[in-house]
Amino acid sequence: MRSIRPAPLTAEAFAPFGDLLDASGAHRLINAGLCRRHHDRAALDFGPGGRAGISIFLAEPRALPYSFDLIERHPEGSQAFLPMTEHPFLVIVAPGPEAVPLAFLTDGTQGINLHRGTWHGVLTPLSAPGRFAVVDRIGSTPNLEEYRYSQPWTVLAP
């Protein structure tokens, strides 16, 4: 069995694949000092001929250990996942189909923005409801490539 263990999601560890979206670090006060704005947290990229779209995803929850044999990427634009509940979810990324994938576990308050072309697993909530706002490219050109591993990978419990 090919297995990996998830690591906690940190900005530094996730940087080669995308942006960590959370409410930590530098901010400025707005709304008469009643709101902290953590400004410009992601490099959204919708490519030529694309535009930003916001969709709502409702994904079936999974459990650890979790086996997968499919990764995908979006060559035309970035893709951000913003959980609409405070439940952790699993993030799987890979430098390429031939590389060992990495798994990260969010802390329940984090979202992610995957850079354009980043190989990643499917949306993997670990609790119901698996509701996410997703900001990604809307356009007329194909924006999905899939790769199936010949042998599945299993993400073990941390």
Side-chain angles (χ1 to χ4, degrees):
M1 175 176 76
R2 301 188 315 168
S3 63
I4 53 178
R5 289 208 185 267
L9 181 64
T10 65
E12 296 76 23
F14 196 67
F17 309 103
D19 308 300
L20 172 63
L21 305 176
D22 67 0
S24 66
H27 63 275
R28 63 181 188 232
L29 293 176
I30 61 172
N31 298 340
L34 299 175
C35 181
R36 291 185 299 180
R37 179 178 174 140
H38 296 267
H39 185 70
D40 197 19
R41 302 296 290 199
L44 301 177
D45 175 3
F46 304 112
R51 65 174 178 82
I54 300 175
S55 303
I56 305 298
F57 287 20
L58 189 56
E60 294 294 321
R62 308 332 192 289
L64 297 177
Y66 168 70
S67 291
F68 69 96
D69 67 355
L70 174 70
I71 57 172
E72 62 184 36
R73 70 177 176 174
H74 307 285
E76 298 291 324
S78 59
Q79 188 176 47
F81 292 92
L82 304 161
M84 297 177 73
T85 63
E86 288 192 8
H87 298 297
F89 67 101
L90 186 64
V91 178
I92 297 167
V93 292
E98 69 293 336
V100 174
L102 301 170
F104 296 99
L105 189 58
T106 69
D107 68 8
T109 66
Q110 301 165 312
I112 61 163
N113 177 57
L114 295 161
H115 291 160
R116 179 201 298 212
T118 296
W119 287 101
H120 62 89
V122 300
L123 182 57
T124 313
L126 298 174
S127 298
R131 187 176 300 116
F132 292 77
V134 177
V135 180
D136 62 358
R137 182 182 193 276
I138 306 297
S140 60
T141 56
N143 191 28
L144 174 65
E145 295 176 11
E146 295 180 334
Y147 177 82
R148 288 214 180 257
Y149 292 106
S150 60
Q151 297 176 2
W153 288 93
T154 299
V155 180
L156 303 173

